[in-house]
Each structure stands twice: as structure tokens, then as C-alpha cells.
Amino acid sequence: MLTFWYCTEDVLTDPIGYSGSNPTRYSFSSITEEDRKSGRISFNKTYFSTSNDFTNHKNNLIKTGKNPSFQPILAKDIERIPNFPERLGFSKKPFEETFKKYIEEGEISIAITNAMSNAIGDHMIGMIALRNFREELSKHIPDDKITINLFQLSPYKLRQITEQWKGVWQNVFIMPSSLDVLLSHDVLFDLGGFLLYESFDKQPLMSFFEEVLSIKSLNIDKDKKRIIYKPNDQSKKKIRSLMNIVRKKSNPVDESGRSPDNPILLYHNLSTTPLRSIPNSLAKKHIEEILENSNFFVVSATGLDFEHERFLNLNQYSSDLDDFASIISEVDAAITVDPCAYHLADAFSTPTVAIFSTIDPSKRCENYPFVKGVLLEENGILKDCHKVEVHDPDASEKIEHSKNLFKSLKIQDVLNDLSELMGHSGKVNNNLLNKDV
């Protein structure tokens, strides 16, 4: 679902942070007088992005007092261009039949827009699906004859994930981009606005990505759908040293020279939306209950203002995704809401209970053997609600409803689920969860 446009005057935006934490200026060249007279617009002065991104650029320029002079072009007119890439997503045909033309030619170049989602957790799943897609394609076309280019809204924000898959893709372009770049490809997979696709909320996210890439019919093994993430060596070394200190703190030697074997639990209460976040006041009560009913030593990376001899705030040591992933790799278990934490937990087989307030857990973590998703409500006002906007007339009601759902969570049930997961994982003895009273 792409939007195409041209500009009637040159536009240079102010830095507006479209590429995550690395603010970016965007330059748009206007059409010439010759273009106006001929009625033809050159491809390098025609731009494309998602419809939301187009609107964001336009609105941000208006806010700064600039006339954006953006003139939309109907997508159907653009797609009539003879060398516009062939759309092969959502094919119901067998893989070899879908890509028959390119298999016979022995070469293919692919553009993927909004690749592979702009949300961190979704992007992790999407990159696994893309890896599986390329592996299948390389069975039919020589790997050095396959070019996959990613067009992303926020490449800086996603880079720690994307860069782990160099070789699966060849180039990353930031959107908006010019049409001439897109026209150099044979095939287009468009993930722009994928929340609006009818099939998006009706199946697990991995299945949706497989459908987009036309590999759903391949029945790929579940083990190949698990998350892979490798933090950089610097983060691993820093966090490992830190966690060694935490383990000594969690298991102090007593007068007899013995020390307990208290497992370390990560409690993570914040998400990207208040609908999926446990308020800090409630999070503190949860931690108190965990400490009272288990032998866990609890750590958090969300900056919770909480004090206890068996609690430590690691927020200052978690400055980026690699640090956070390294923390998850070092703990014995985790309790988290629905951000990226449970995806990372799968990468390290860390037993985890993930609390969902809006989405059926089977649509997100069905392939994660050591993650149990708990849905707080099946058919309420938050069902399949991915975010809430401040101007949403139901925003206050939804946020308050979310708070009440999290209040209904029974921590003892969560601890029981963790005990079972930890026993299956073999990571620690699950009897350690039963605190002596």
C-alpha cells in the first residue's frame, strides 16, 4: 500500500526523526518547467513511501510553516509503467510456479517496502521469514544471482536486527525513496500498511509474513521459525560481568559458608503503548508479591523506583537493544508484557511468561517452546488493538480498561507457569520457585 507523489517546488525538511533516534533531513526535488509542459514527470523526481509516512511528512512540514507542495499520483497510474516490478506477494500457487519466470531466467532482483515491519518485535519475526524465503529461492536460482533490497522507514532504529542478516539482503534504502530506484527491480513485496491487510489479525505473524513472501505452502519446520539474535561482543562482555556481580548479590554466602541458589528473574512492565504496559505502581506490587512467594532475585531494566535486598534496577546498563538482549540471555527467567522482550527470550531459550492485553498470544509466540503467553481478556474492547492515539475518543476508556486487566493478573499463577517452563528448560531447578515459608 504505497503512496506516490511529486513536488511542485524544492523541499528540504527539518530533522524530524523518521529514522528512529537518528534525525534525518529529507530533500525532495521539484519538477521542472519542462516537466510541466510535457506532462511527464521524471522517475527520479517521483517519490514513494507508505501512506502514513507521506501524511507524516506533509503534516510536519505544515507545522513548521512550510508549504509542502506534495502532489499525489494514483498508484494505478504508476503501476502501468512497463517496467514496474511484478507483485508476487500472497500467491496461492506452489513456490516454483510463482517464481517460474525468474527460475527459468536464473536471476531475480526483489524490492521489499516497509521491510520487514517498523516494529522491533515484528521485524525480528519478519527477518526470520525472509531468511527462510531466501533459502528456498536459492534452491532454484544461484544465490549470487539473487538481489534482495530492503526499503525501510527507520533503518537506524532497526539496524541492530537488520545487520545480523547481511547476506540475506544486499542493500537498505530509507523511505521515502525515488521511483527510479524501485523500477530497477523485477519483483515487489509491499509491506506498507500491513496492519490493514485482511489476513493480518487472523493468523500468527510468522504465517502472515510467509503469506506475503509466498512461502506459506512450504510447511517450514517450527525450529526454523524461532528467533535468532546475537548481541555484539562488547554488550555481552559488559552484561556478563554485571550479571556475575548480580549473582553474587543474589546468593550471599552465609556463616556456614553455604550460599542459596536463587534464580534471577527479569520483570519487564513497559511496552510501546499504554495499552500493553503495566503501570509502575502496579509493577511494584507485582514485584513485592514475587519476592514474597518465591526465591527469585528480581531485576528490571525499566527504571522502576523500588528498593529491596533482592531487587536491582539495571536500567542504566541497558542503553540499547544489544544490552537488553544480553540481560535476557543471562537471567534464568522473565515475566514481561508485549514488547520485544519475549522474542529475545526465545532467542536464548529463557523461560518466560508474556502477558498480553490486546493480542492472542498464539499469533505471536506459537513457535517459542519456552515462552507461555497469557491473554488477560479474549473478546474485550482491546482485542487486536495495536496502539492508541491521543486523539482517539476512546483512548481514556481503553487505557483505564488496560489498567484494570493488569490488576486482575494473578502473580501466583504466573509463578506456577514459570516453574513449569523452567523445569522443562533444564535451565534451573523448578523447585527453587517454591519459597520456604
Side-chain angles (χ1 to χ4, degrees), residues 420-434:
E420 185 176 350
L421 286 167
M422 293 172 79
H424 289 322
S425 74
K427 205 163 188 181
V428 294
N429 187 333
N430 63 331
N431 290 330
L432 296 173
L433 300 184
N434 301 316

PDB file of all heavy atoms in Angstrom, residues 420-434:
ATOM      1  N   GLU A 420       6.854 -24.407  35.763  1.00  0.00           N
ATOM      2  CA  GLU A 420       6.726 -25.472  34.775  1.00  0.00           C
ATOM      3  C   GLU A 420       7.679 -25.270  33.603  1.00  0.00           C
ATOM      4  O   GLU A 420       8.354 -26.209  33.160  1.00  0.00           O
ATOM      5  CB  GLU A 420       5.279 -25.536  34.281  1.00  0.00           C
ATOM      6  CG  GLU A 420       5.004 -26.682  33.329  1.00  0.00           C
ATOM      7  CD  GLU A 420       3.541 -26.766  32.935  1.00  0.00           C
ATOM      8  OE1 GLU A 420       2.711 -26.063  33.549  1.00  0.00           O
ATOM      9  OE2 GLU A 420       3.225 -27.527  31.996  1.00  0.00           O
ATOM     10  N   LEU A 421       7.760 -24.042  33.110  1.00  0.00           N
ATOM     11  CA  LEU A 421       8.653 -23.747  31.987  1.00  0.00           C
ATOM     12  C   LEU A 421      10.108 -23.996  32.350  1.00  0.00           C
ATOM     13  O   LEU A 421      10.882 -24.548  31.565  1.00  0.00           O
ATOM     14  CB  LEU A 421       8.479 -22.289  31.544  1.00  0.00           C
ATOM     15  CG  LEU A 421       7.217 -21.927  30.767  1.00  0.00           C
ATOM     16  CD1 LEU A 421       7.065 -20.415  30.686  1.00  0.00           C
ATOM     17  CD2 LEU A 421       7.237 -22.531  29.378  1.00  0.00           C
ATOM     18  N   MET A 422      10.490 -23.579  33.538  1.00  0.00           N
ATOM     19  CA  MET A 422      11.875 -23.726  33.960  1.00  0.00           C
ATOM     20  C   MET A 422      12.238 -25.190  34.160  1.00  0.00           C
ATOM     21  O   MET A 422      13.365 -25.617  33.888  1.00  0.00           O
ATOM     22  CB  MET A 422      12.117 -22.922  35.231  1.00  0.00           C
ATOM     23  CG  MET A 422      12.012 -21.420  35.013  1.00  0.00           C
ATOM     24  SD  MET A 422      12.072 -20.451  36.540  1.00  0.00           S
ATOM     25  CE  MET A 422      13.816 -20.455  36.858  1.00  0.00           C
ATOM     26  N   GLY A 423      11.270 -25.982  34.599  1.00  0.00           N
ATOM     27  CA  GLY A 423      11.512 -27.410  34.723  1.00  0.00           C
ATOM     28  C   GLY A 423      11.742 -28.060  33.379  1.00  0.00           C
ATOM     29  O   GLY A 423      12.638 -28.893  33.212  1.00  0.00           O
ATOM     30  N   HIS A 424      10.977 -27.646  32.369  1.00  0.00           N
ATOM     31  CA  HIS A 424      11.133 -28.191  31.017  1.00  0.00           C
ATOM     32  C   HIS A 424      12.450 -27.749  30.394  1.00  0.00           C
ATOM     33  O   HIS A 424      13.082 -28.493  29.644  1.00  0.00           O
ATOM     34  CB  HIS A 424       9.976 -27.742  30.119  1.00  0.00           C
ATOM     35  CG  HIS A 424       8.674 -28.387  30.465  1.00  0.00           C
ATOM     36  ND1 HIS A 424       8.576 -29.704  30.862  1.00  0.00           N
ATOM     37  CD2 HIS A 424       7.405 -27.895  30.455  1.00  0.00           C
ATOM     38  CE1 HIS A 424       7.305 -30.000  31.100  1.00  0.00           C
ATOM     39  NE2 HIS A 424       6.565 -28.919  30.867  1.00  0.00           N
ATOM     40  N   SER A 425      12.860 -26.519  30.692  1.00  0.00           N
ATOM     41  CA  SER A 425      14.047 -25.982  30.028  1.00  0.00           C
ATOM     42  C   SER A 425      15.334 -26.581  30.577  1.00  0.00           C
ATOM     43  O   SER A 425      16.345 -26.623  29.883  1.00  0.00           O
ATOM     44  CB  SER A 425      14.103 -24.459  30.192  1.00  0.00           C
ATOM     45  OG  SER A 425      14.470 -24.122  31.523  1.00  0.00           O
ATOM     46  N   GLY A 426      15.298 -27.029  31.836  1.00  0.00           N
ATOM     47  CA  GLY A 426      16.502 -27.545  32.459  1.00  0.00           C
ATOM     48  C   GLY A 426      17.472 -26.449  32.843  1.00  0.00           C
ATOM     49  O   GLY A 426      18.607 -26.713  33.240  1.00  0.00           O
ATOM     50  N   LYS A 427      17.038 -25.184  32.714  1.00  0.00           N
ATOM     51  CA  LYS A 427      17.944 -24.066  32.995  1.00  0.00           C
ATOM     52  C   LYS A 427      18.256 -23.965  34.489  1.00  0.00           C
ATOM     53  O   LYS A 427      19.373 -23.711  34.893  1.00  0.00           O
ATOM     54  CB  LYS A 427      17.328 -22.763  32.485  1.00  0.00           C
ATOM     55  CG  LYS A 427      18.365 -21.708  32.170  1.00  0.00           C
ATOM     56  CD  LYS A 427      17.800 -20.611  31.298  1.00  0.00           C
ATOM     57  CE  LYS A 427      18.921 -19.673  30.847  1.00  0.00           C
ATOM     58  NZ  LYS A 427      18.442 -18.581  30.021  1.00  0.00           N
ATOM     59  N   VAL A 428      17.215 -24.154  35.309  1.00  0.00           N
ATOM     60  CA  VAL A 428      17.411 -24.214  36.760  1.00  0.00           C
ATOM     61  C   VAL A 428      16.386 -25.182  37.328  1.00  0.00           C
ATOM     62  O   VAL A 428      15.407 -25.538  36.674  1.00  0.00           O
ATOM     63  CB  VAL A 428      17.225 -22.835  37.447  1.00  0.00           C
ATOM     64  CG1 VAL A 428      18.286 -21.864  37.034  1.00  0.00           C
ATOM     65  CG2 VAL A 428      15.849 -22.281  37.188  1.00  0.00           C
ATOM     66  N   ASN A 429      16.581 -25.607  38.554  1.00  0.00           N
ATOM     67  CA  ASN A 429      15.648 -26.494  39.244  1.00  0.00           C
ATOM     68  C   ASN A 429      14.369 -25.743  39.551  1.00  0.00           C
ATOM     69  O   ASN A 429      14.381 -24.743  40.257  1.00  0.00           O
ATOM     70  CB  ASN A 429      16.301 -26.990  40.541  1.00  0.00           C
ATOM     71  CG  ASN A 429      15.467 -28.057  41.224  1.00  0.00           C
ATOM     72  OD1 ASN A 429      14.259 -28.104  41.063  1.00  0.00           O
ATOM     73  ND2 ASN A 429      16.142 -28.903  41.997  1.00  0.00           N
ATOM     74  N   ASN A 430      13.239 -26.262  39.052  1.00  0.00           N
ATOM     75  CA  ASN A 430      11.991 -25.523  39.255  1.00  0.00           C
ATOM     76  C   ASN A 430      11.546 -25.508  40.710  1.00  0.00           C
ATOM     77  O   ASN A 430      10.694 -24.726  41.098  1.00  0.00           O
ATOM     78  CB  ASN A 430      10.870 -26.076  38.360  1.00  0.00           C
ATOM     79  CG  ASN A 430      10.517 -27.518  38.679  1.00  0.00           C
ATOM     80  OD1 ASN A 430      11.362 -28.276  39.146  1.00  0.00           O
ATOM     81  ND2 ASN A 430       9.282 -27.898  38.409  1.00  0.00           N
ATOM     82  N   ASN A 431      12.127 -26.373  41.587  1.00  0.00           N
ATOM     83  CA  ASN A 431      11.766 -26.334  42.995  1.00  0.00           C
ATOM     84  C   ASN A 431      12.206 -25.047  43.653  1.00  0.00           C
ATOM     85  O   ASN A 431      11.723 -24.682  44.723  1.00  0.00           O
ATOM     86  CB  ASN A 431      12.417 -27.530  43.727  1.00  0.00           C
ATOM     87  CG  ASN A 431      11.789 -28.842  43.315  1.00  0.00           C
ATOM     88  OD1 ASN A 431      10.615 -28.888  42.969  1.00  0.00           O
ATOM     89  ND2 ASN A 431      12.578 -29.903  43.330  1.00  0.00           N
ATOM     90  N   LEU A 432      13.153 -24.356  43.034  1.00  0.00           N
ATOM     91  CA  LEU A 432      13.642 -23.115  43.611  1.00  0.00           C
ATOM     92  C   LEU A 432      12.577 -22.019  43.627  1.00  0.00           C
ATOM     93  O   LEU A 432      12.728 -21.020  44.314  1.00  0.00           O
ATOM     94  CB  LEU A 432      14.861 -22.614  42.827  1.00  0.00           C
ATOM     95  CG  LEU A 432      16.096 -23.523  42.886  1.00  0.00           C
ATOM     96  CD1 LEU A 432      17.156 -23.002  41.945  1.00  0.00           C
ATOM     97  CD2 LEU A 432      16.645 -23.598  44.297  1.00  0.00           C
ATOM     98  N   LEU A 433      11.520 -22.221  42.863  1.00  0.00           N
ATOM     99  CA  LEU A 433      10.472 -21.206  42.840  1.00  0.00           C
ATOM    100  C   LEU A 433       9.568 -21.286  44.058  1.00  0.00           C
ATOM    101  O   LEU A 433       8.809 -20.373  44.331  1.00  0.00           O
ATOM    102  CB  LEU A 433       9.615 -21.367  41.576  1.00  0.00           C
ATOM    103  CG  LEU A 433      10.349 -21.241  40.255  1.00  0.00           C
ATOM    104  CD1 LEU A 433       9.353 -21.315  39.101  1.00  0.00           C
ATOM    105  CD2 LEU A 433      11.140 -19.961  40.181  1.00  0.00           C
ATOM    106  N   ASN A 434       9.626 -22.395  44.770  1.00  0.00           N
ATOM    107  CA  ASN A 434       8.739 -22.574  45.916  1.00  0.00           C
ATOM    108  C   ASN A 434       9.447 -22.135  47.180  1.00  0.00           C
ATOM    109  O   ASN A 434      10.233 -22.873  47.776  1.00  0.00           O
ATOM    110  CB  ASN A 434       8.323 -24.041  46.019  1.00  0.00           C
ATOM    111  CG  ASN A 434       7.615 -24.500  44.756  1.00  0.00           C
ATOM    112  OD1 ASN A 434       6.783 -23.789  44.238  1.00  0.00           O
ATOM    113  ND2 ASN A 434       7.976 -25.682  44.267  1.00  0.00           N
TER     114      ASN A 434
END
